[in-house]
Amino acid sequence: MKTIQLKTNINCSGCVEKVTPSLNKAFGEANWKVDTADPKKILTVTAGNTDEKDVINAVERAGYKAGQLN
């Protein structure tokens, strides 16, 4: 399994609800989480055949942004 972590602008539980359908469809319900308590709002995705571009696209389809951690 590959783990990808990206910073996002998913700020609250309401934002998580909005992005949930896109991320569940792309990666599966138990394969991702967003740490809204972290200042960088880190999205962690654990999946076998995926890359950062796939994760960024899934987040953007829901109307949010994701990018590399600095």
Side-chain angles (χ1 to χ4, degrees):
M1 286 293 216
K2 183 178 182 181
T3 300
I4 297 171
Q5 288 191 313
L6 299 171
K7 66 180 177 180
T8 71
N9 65 342
I10 301 169
N11 295 315
C12 63
S13 60
C15 298
V16 172
E17 283 182 33
K18 290 178 185 174
V19 78
T20 292
S22 180
L23 292 176
N24 281 352
K25 182 178 179 182
F27 309 110
E29 191 172 325
N31 296 323
W32 65 271
K33 66 179 177 178
V34 179
D35 183 358
T36 56
D38 187 289
K40 293 184 180 180
K41 313 302 181 196
I42 296 175
L43 167 64
T44 302
V45 176
T46 305
N49 272 341
T50 195
D51 60 27
E52 285 185 7
K53 186 176 178 181
D54 295 330
V55 178
I56 291 169
N57 287 339
V59 171
E60 288 179 348
R61 278 194 298 274
Y64 293 89
K65 294 183 181 179
Q68 291 184 334
L69 287 171
N70 294 332

